[in-house]
Amino acid sequence: MLSLIYNLLNKNGGISLRLENHKVISLVDHDFDDLELWYPVLRLREEGAQVDLVGQEAKQTYIGKNGVPAESDYAFADVNPEEYDAVIVPGGWAPDKLRRFPEVKEIVKHMKDNNKAIGEICHAGWVLISSGILEGKTVTSTPGIKDDMTNAGATWVNEAVVTDGQLVSSRRPPDLPDYLPELIKVMEKYHR
């Protein structure tokens, strides 16, 4: 019903949903950065994307660093990355947990190998490092993992947002207003 209303408004010069028909995986685990998870999820949903929270278990409540909860829609093993257009990884301490799951690394590798959008912010670079996809890429992250990123073969720069092909990276919560417009542009470009 909501998309019908948006479509009617769009025909009359109203709202335009840039990401309608896009499906996005947002990875989640305990101790995610609250803003780095929820700001992208809500912003992408505002643009019409279906964003599914995907964690180790389906219907589990994960708690962010600042106490904000997030309930997963699906478990890692339940999603088929072929059905999705993008994956986003929040920062916080969750990436150190997420990178240990083979399914997470497979999701990220699938997105890279199939030319789909990948968004990461802050410590989320750890997941990309463990997935083995940073060789030759130019990225940013929290300065705390700069050495990890360069040791994985990436060129690290200290900028609010960096786009290298399908990969969009950002440093920390104050950079979210720069990160999301870039991520949305890349998602439009690399839509399946």
Side-chain angles (χ1 to χ4, degrees), residues 87-104:
V87 63
I88 52 176
V89 188
W93 302 121
D96 191 34
K97 298 170 185 147
L98 290 167
R99 68 181 176 167
R100 300 172 194 200
F101 293 100
E103 300 95 338
V104 167

Side-chain angles (χ1 to χ4, degrees), residues 116-134:
K116 297 179 181 184
I118 301 169
E120 65 97 355
I121 185 167
C122 199
H123 286 84
W126 279 335
V127 173
L128 280 58
I129 290 167
S130 294
S131 299
I133 68 161
L134 290 183

Side-chain angles (χ1 to χ4, degrees), residues 31-152:
D31 298 318
F32 59 85
D33 182 280
D34 305 66
L35 285 172
E36 293 169 359
L37 175 89
W38 282 113
Y39 186 104
V41 167
L42 296 173
R43 186 68 194 91
L44 296 177
R45 286 177 178 168
E46 285 176 346
E47 289 292 346
Q50 174 185 322
V51 183
D52 295 329
L53 297 178
V54 181
Q56 181 181 7
E57 296 178 30
K59 304 302 177 196
Q60 178 174 332
T61 298
Y62 296 90
I63 305 298
K65 289 183 352 182
N66 297 310
V68 177
E71 183 178 305
S72 58
D73 299 299
Y74 301 104
F76 304 135
D78 296 339
V79 295
N80 178 356
E82 289 182 18
E83 297 175 0
Y84 288 85
D85 303 292
V87 63
I88 52 176
V89 188
W93 302 121
D96 191 34
K97 298 170 185 147
L98 290 167
R99 68 181 176 167
R100 300 172 194 200
F101 293 100
E103 300 95 338
V104 167
K105 292 184 274 192
E106 288 304 314
I107 290 168
V108 172
K109 285 179 192 173
H110 173 87
M111 296 300 176
K112 181 202 176 283
D113 293 344
N114 290 277
N115 218 24
K116 297 179 181 184
I118 301 169
E120 65 97 355
I121 185 167
C122 199
H123 286 84
W126 279 335
V127 173
L128 280 58
I129 290 167
S130 294
S131 299
I133 68 161
L134 290 183
E135 183 72 37
K137 292 289 189 180
T138 299
V139 296
T140 195
S141 66
T142 178
I145 66 166
K146 172 187 175 184
D147 292 345
D148 301 329
M149 301 288 266
T150 58
N151 289 337

Side-chain angles (χ1 to χ4, degrees), residues 22-25 84-89 107-108 110-112 114-120 165-168 182-192:
H22 284 68
K23 286 182 68 178
V24 181
I25 293 170
Y84 288 85
D85 303 292
V87 63
I88 52 176
V89 188
I107 290 168
V108 172
H110 173 87
M111 296 300 176
K112 181 202 176 283
N114 290 277
N115 218 24
K116 297 179 181 184
I118 301 169
E120 65 97 355
Q166 76 214 67
L167 174 60
V168 181
E182 243 344 91
L183 182 59
I184 290 167
K185 277 194 261 183
V186 169
M187 286 177 62
E188 287 178 308
K189 182 177 180 181
Y190 289 93
H191 186 239
R192 62 181 158 92

